[in-house]
Amino acid sequence: MNYKDLTLSLFLLFPVLSQACASEKITEDIHVSQPQTKEGNIYHVGSIEQFNMLKLQPGDKVIFKKGVWKDQQINIKANGTKDKPILITVEKAGETVFSGNSNLKIDGSWLVVDGFVFKDGFSEKADVILFTKNASNSRLTNSVIFDYNPSDKTRDYKWVSLNGENNRVDHCDFTGKTHQGTTLVVWLDEKPNYHKIDYNYFGPRPALGVNGGETIRIGTSTWSMHDSYTTVENNVFDKCDGEMEIISIKSGHNIINNNLFYECNGTVTFRHGNFNTVSNNYMIGNGKKSTGGIRVIGENHKVFGNYLQGLDGNGLRAAIAVMNALEKPQLHEYFQVIDAQIYDNIIVDSKEAINLGSGKNETRVLAPKGGFLKNNYVINTRTLLKVEDEPQGMLIENNQADASQLPAGFIKMGTDLIKSDDIWQKKSNIRVPFWKNVKIGPEWGSTKNF
């Protein structure tokens, strides 16, 4: 099946601004309207100076007037409550644009930032959008960063940095990052942060050529033995080719669930940390060069329910690659795979389905240990199973394949699977792909078909 024939409704970003909107001056005096409810005041602001004058209280709402706001540093420092969050929004979605050297800082609790667009410029010093360490229970939604790049591709900053705890990034669009630095980073602290990243569209990112081109990174090597408990789900990653690691997990107890990775040149990688889960994702390569699947490193990870089709990669980029490790690794090096649970995955039309002991060399000498590989399904792959280093005590059983020669632990394909919505699914667990039923990206965006 060619997934280019499949129409995905993804809600995107940047309606074209009219010339009138682009030249509109934001000079009107601040206006405070009477509260429409008992929640708080409603403020209409036409300049950053007016915004900075506000002393926001729980339940307040601030509306940035439409037009082009150039070279603006927006620092939202306030605290709402669970019942009365503070809303920072725009007069008209898509027509309030921050350009030039603009950035946004979210520095408080129970804040909601809705409808911001960054384009036609770049941030000269800071990350474009920063949740500070004081940010908690705050949300960025319906917002866009589009082609917001410096001319110097070696300049390293992030488009979104998530600090604090219990923050959410949802229904946003991040497209076209071409310079050094991860698109979205979750930074760790002494205690877990419980962030949520969902219903976003991560648009095409060209190959960077060096490390630092991840689309999402959760943690760092230094903090990798700490837990994050971040959830990444219901997002679309479209041609995210920045580097080999599309999502780089560098912490513990994270969940990557029910996302679509479409023609992405790379893998979802358990790079550091333990007790992570990658489940129920769709990874569609359409035979694009170097498209990969899921790479396992570390202890007590779970990989289940994923659908992997048309992946061109092998070795470290196999549909499922379980790596070899160093004997005494430093925090930034490769730790042994111990007790990985890999089950109920469906691999179709790919170059190499499963690679065990991948990356083995003179230093990576520890083979995977324990765990199991069972109840997986492999259809029409060039290489069913490649063992670069024999796993120690890994249970391999009841995997099904349509190959003529079956290695130990594999049996002839039965009748468990059926095609539904143009993908192979287990008869006992039919599900409609999420992008057919929900809006991805900003609610106000246009529709993209591919």
Side-chain angles (χ1 to χ4, degrees):
M1 180 194 64
N2 187 343
Y3 264 73
K4 290 183 179 178
D5 296 331
L6 178 62
T7 297
L8 309 180
S9 294
L10 304 176
F11 286 75
L12 297 182
L13 45 155
F14 44 94
V16 178
L17 295 174
S18 67
Q19 288 287 38
C21 176
S23 61
E24 181 176 351
K25 294 182 179 180
I26 305 173
T27 57
E28 296 181 27
D29 293 334
I30 191 168
H31 173 64
V32 183
S33 66
Q34 293 297 317
Q36 297 176 351
T37 69
K38 296 180 181 179
E39 296 300 308
N41 289 316
I42 300 174
Y43 300 95
H44 296 261
V45 298
S47 71
I48 198 65
E49 291 78 17
Q50 293 171 0
F51 176 75
N52 289 338
M53 290 171 58
L54 300 177
K55 304 297 182 183
L56 296 174
Q57 301 299 316
D60 284 352
K61 178 179 181 180
V62 180
I63 301 172
F64 280 73
K65 293 193 174 182
K66 69 178 181 179
V68 177
W69 295 61
K70 187 175 182 181
D71 299 333
Q72 303 294 314
Q73 283 72 54
I74 309 114
N75 185 2
I76 306 172
K77 190 175 183 63
N79 293 290
T81 66
K82 181 177 182 180
D83 295 330
K84 293 183 178 182
I86 296 171
L87 174 61
I88 315 294
T89 188
V90 297
E91 183 178 3
K92 189 171 183 180
E95 294 187 14
T96 303
V97 174
F98 296 89
S99 67
N101 174 29
S102 295
N103 51 60
L104 166 67
K105 185 181 293 183
I106 299 171
D107 187 23
S109 59
W110 300 104
L111 303 173
V112 178
V113 178
D114 187 336
F116 279 45
V117 175
F118 291 84
K119 64 191 290 277
D120 298 328
F122 61 93
S123 179
E124 293 184 0
K125 295 182 180 180
D127 296 343
V128 182
I129 299 176
L130 170 67
F131 288 75
T132 73
K133 291 185 176 182
N134 297 321
S136 65
N137 299 294
S138 292
R139 179 184 180 194
L140 174 72
T141 187
N142 289 317
S143 295
V144 169
I145 307 176
F146 175 67
D147 285 356
Y148 208 59
N149 298 300
S151 57
D152 180 2
K153 304 307 179 187
T154 66
R155 182 174 293 186
D156 188 335
Y157 62 80
K158 284 60 178 171
W159 275 10
V160 180
S161 275
L162 267 172
N163 293 281
E165 59 185 2
N166 292 300
N167 297 310
R168 183 184 181 194
V169 177
D170 69 282
H171 293 94
C172 293
D173 187 305
F174 307 111
T175 293
K177 192 175 195 295
T178 60
H179 64 96
Q180 188 94 10
T182 307
T183 304
L184 188 157
V185 173
V186 173
W187 300 96
L188 270 61
D189 210 329
E190 291 293 343
K191 59 182 180 180
N193 41 43
Y194 298 98
H195 296 315
K196 190 169 186 179
I197 303 163
D198 58 319
Y199 298 101
N200 301 290
Y201 175 78
F202 293 91
R205 181 174 186 183
L208 188 62
V210 294
N211 287 335
E214 307 99 327
T215 298
I216 292 179
R217 193 185 75 224
I218 307 173
T220 62
S221 300
T222 304
W223 287 85
S224 57
M225 293 300 114
H226 290 71
D227 293 330
S228 177
Y229 285 93
T230 288
T231 298
V232 179
E233 64 182 358
N234 299 319
N235 302 283
V236 170
F237 298 82
D238 179 14
K239 301 178 183 66
C240 294
D241 298 343
E243 66 151 75
M244 182 176 178
E245 298 175 14
I246 310 163
I247 296 181
S248 183
I249 305 170
K250 294 187 174 182
S251 52
H253 288 281
N254 301 291
I255 297 174
I256 315 298
N257 179 66
N258 202 39
N259 302 281
L260 169 63
F261 298 87
Y262 186 83
E263 295 185 358
C264 293
N265 184 340
T267 67
V268 174
T269 302
F270 297 90
R271 186 61 185 87
H272 300 301
N274 304 311
F275 293 97
N276 293 295
T277 298
V278 173
S279 56
N280 303 311
N281 299 285
Y282 301 84
M283 308 190 79
I284 310 299
N286 286 331
K288 177 181 171 182
K289 183 176 175 59
S290 298
T291 48
I294 300 163
R295 185 161 58 119
V296 183
I297 305 159
E299 301 182 17
N300 293 288
H301 299 310
K302 293 182 179 180
V303 178
F304 65 88
N306 300 286
Y307 183 80
L308 308 107
Q309 177 171 307
L311 302 178
D312 173 72
N314 61 345
L316 299 177
R317 295 178 187 252
I320 297 176
V322 186
M323 280 197 68
N324 257 34
L326 281 70
E327 288 186 316
K328 295 180 180 180
Q330 301 297 310
L331 280 175
H332 66 281
E333 295 177 324
Y334 292 92
F335 283 73
Q336 187 176 24
V337 176
I338 298 176
D339 292 336
Q341 300 178 29
I342 304 169
Y343 60 99
D344 287 339
N345 301 286
I346 300 173
I347 304 170
V348 181
D349 297 335
S350 295
K351 180 182 290 185
E352 187 169 276
I354 300 166
N355 186 299
L356 301 179
S358 51
K360 178 184 178 181
N361 59 23
E362 62 277 5
T363 59
R364 298 184 199 134
V365 295
L366 289 183
K369 179 180 178 181
F372 56 79
L373 175 74
K374 64 181 182 181
N375 301 330
N376 299 287
Y377 302 84
V378 181
I379 302 171
N380 190 32
T381 60
R382 189 179 306 173
T383 301
L384 171 57
L385 173 66
K386 184 172 183 179
V387 179
E388 297 191 30
D389 202 355
E390 194 68 38
Q392 307 168 26
M394 175 182 282
L395 176 64
I396 304 177
E397 67 175 10
N398 202 40
N399 301 287
Q400 298 185 31
D402 61 355
S404 56
Q405 295 185 341
L406 298 171
F410 284 77
I411 61 176
K412 196 70 176 176
M413 183 69 68
T415 60
D416 294 353
L417 303 183
I418 189 173
K419 259 195 173 179
S420 178
D421 285 302
D422 293 323
I423 62 174
W424 289 100
Q425 304 199 49
K426 291 185 69 174
K427 293 177 182 178
S428 60
N429 187 30
I430 300 294
R431 56 190 177 120
V432 178
F434 70 94
W435 61 86
K436 293 191 173 186
N437 290 329
V438 299
K439 293 181 179 180
I440 305 299
E443 298 283 347
W444 50 267
S446 58
T447 299
K448 180 178 180 182
N449 299 323
F450 70 101

